[in-house]
Amino acid sequence: MQIEERDIRIDKLKTIRDGGVVPYKDRYEKTHSLLGAKGLPLDTKGVRIAGRILTVRSFGRLIFATLKDFSGKMQIALQEKAVGKDNFSFFKKNMDIGDFIGAEGSIFKTKTGEITLNVSNYDLLSKTLRPLPEKWHGLTERELLYRQRYLDLVMNDGTLERFLKRTRIIKSIRNFLDSSGFVEVETPVLQTKPSGAIATPFVTHHNALDLDLYLRIAPETYLKRCMAGGFEKVYEFARSFRNEGLDPSHLQDFTLLEYYAAYWNYEDNMRFTEDLVKHVLVEVDGSLELVFGDKHINFDHEWRRVPMSTLIKEATGIDIGKFSSARELKKAIENRDIEIHGIETMGFGTLTDNLFKKVSRPTIEGPLFVIHHPIELSPLARRNDNNPAVTDRFQLVVNGWEIVNAYSELIDPIDQRERLKEQAELHSSGDSEAMVMDEDFLTAMEHGMPPISGWGMGVDRFVCLLTNQENLRDVILFPLIKPLIKPVSGPVEDSEQDKDDNLKTTQGAV
């Protein structure tokens, strides 16, 4: 945008004010949305609508304009003889694309068959100082879509629908959980221990208490405290934070849904998960076949269950069950020229996880339940009764993405203490993703917990699948973007370094 155009609009604003017109009204009484008005019978009078001006076409003493509101778009017509010479001239001289107006009139149909409001009077509701993007080009540069999402919502019809669909997906999940006897709760975002997952936390400081705190990486241990307190089925849509790498399928702040059910094991949980996902697909999309890019993913069958070790062996020939130490496993990985970033400091569990993500997960179209993860990778999961080296755990993988992570929960406080002790030693040795000792959580466990199976879903990833998006930022209204070096006084432009940094997360999905 040229600075001069903003200056022109500011001059118009001054003219409007000097003429005694309030350019920013406090309210406007509507009778209908634009979609509702378009459905009215012809010749209906006293119709009051409001919206943002998207287009203006002037034909002498007749002006056609297109308005947009939350429901859609509608054409209005202003005739000089209907609104009066002064009001017609005021609109022609002072109204711009992007301005909000309210209009009253009657419904008619143009010669071309378009339902239109014949305006008898109008009000300027809000004067804009910056223009919208050009109509035919809109807002298409991906970086600007994220930085100026409000313009993306205005100019690209599919964007608003995508975020409305996100709301429907979350509502469908919530209703299914509620109808299945689950209770929604809230747990702390600021925590004294980074717990509930193997991940690197964000650190902050509480000034009043002079205490270092962590933004939660997961709500797990607090939801389990609820179970210790007598809840039998709980869930939370939890905004969570992990200070890790950027790519299209990972963001540092994201929405994590977790639930826990007393007296279930992981097999009960797999059955419930399959029912829940199929319910959402049918309710939101009307089908159990999901179209993602050029793929058609069929959910209309009983989903396969395959051990993690089997998938890794099929991809690499490495049988992780035959290795007793991280050192031996690292040697086998290096012998096959498999590159894993940061391999030097990884413990056995983190190493196995990264190997799976490198060689196996990207090839899975799914839906597939990956089961029986190594004990070292699952410090909060129950040990399998038949094979103590693995846990009663599963992940739901679709299109190479982990959508759900779940397991039979560890409720043995002695076993849990030993595993957290091992995790704390790994953390002290440089594995930043390893967990730390959490005495408060162990105390809760020692007061007793029922058998539990728990579950976590990356909501943003699930929404991506159902909206055919490859990048998590496309389903988050206002994703984190590195700030501009210069303040926005003219066109929105990134520095070259900004562009390099932000492109790391805007290119195709892994």
Side-chain angles (χ1 to χ4, degrees), residues 206-218:
H206 193 302
N207 290 337
L209 297 178
D210 191 22
L211 179 67
D212 284 342
L213 295 172
Y214 304 89
L215 298 184
R216 70 175 167 205
I217 54 180

Side-chain angles (χ1 to χ4, degrees), residues 410-420 442 445-446:
L410 177 60
I411 59 173
D412 178 346
I414 304 300
D415 190 356
Q416 181 67 87
R417 179 175 292 278
E418 289 302 312
R419 289 202 226 171
L420 285 181
L442 289 169
M445 287 191 69
E446 289 181 0

Side-chain angles (χ1 to χ4, degrees), residues 385-417:
D385 290 333
N386 297 320
N387 181 1
V390 301
T391 55
D392 291 339
R393 176 180 174 183
F394 71 87
Q395 291 173 310
L396 173 61
V397 178
V398 181
N399 195 46
W401 283 5
E402 174 197 319
I403 304 300
V404 167
N405 181 39
Y407 35 80
S408 295
E409 302 296 335
L410 177 60
I411 59 173
D412 178 346
I414 304 300
D415 190 356
Q416 181 67 87
R417 179 175 292 278

Side-chain angles (χ1 to χ4, degrees), residues 430-442:
D431 189 342
S432 63
E433 294 188 353
M435 296 180 68
V436 298
M437 187 62 72
D438 189 343
E439 289 291 348
D440 184 72
F441 175 60
L442 289 169

Side-chain angles (χ1 to χ4, degrees), residues 154-165:
V154 172
M155 300 306 298
N156 298 322
D157 292 338
T159 300
L160 178 59
E161 175 53 35
R162 184 164 70 248
F163 286 102
L164 291 177
K165 187 171 184 179

Side-chain angles (χ1 to χ4, degrees), residues 144-158:
L144 289 180
L145 295 178
Y146 303 146
R147 191 178 295 284
Q148 295 182 288
R149 180 71 82 190
Y150 46 91
L151 294 181
D152 182 20
L153 291 165
V154 172
M155 300 306 298
N156 298 322
D157 292 338

Side-chain angles (χ1 to χ4, degrees), residues 99-140:
D99 292 349
F100 286 86
I101 67 168
E104 181 176 356
S106 58
I107 302 297
F108 79 105
K109 183 185 291 186
T110 66
K111 292 179 180 179
T112 60
E114 184 163 357
I115 300 298
T116 303
L117 183 77
N118 187 21
V119 178
S120 57
N121 60 76
Y122 71 89
D123 288 296
L124 170 63
L125 304 181
S126 180
K127 181 67 185 169
T128 61
L129 301 185
R130 294 176 182 269
L132 299 175
E134 293 180 34
K135 176 184 176 184
W136 301 117
H137 298 290
L139 196 66
T140 57

Side-chain angles (χ1 to χ4, degrees), residues 167-220:
T167 298
R168 294 196 299 272
I169 291 167
I170 292 173
K171 182 178 180 180
S172 179
I173 295 171
R174 179 176 274 116
N175 289 343
F176 190 86
L177 290 173
D178 289 344
S179 66
S180 299
F182 284 82
V183 177
E184 186 170 9
V185 298
E186 293 182 338
T187 63
V189 174
L190 291 176
Q191 302 183 353
T192 57
K193 299 287 185 180
S195 61
I198 295 178
T200 303
F202 283 92
V203 184
T204 187
H205 188 77
H206 193 302
N207 290 337
L209 297 178
D210 191 22
L211 179 67
D212 284 342
L213 295 172
Y214 304 89
L215 298 184
R216 70 175 167 205
I217 54 180
E220 177 166 343

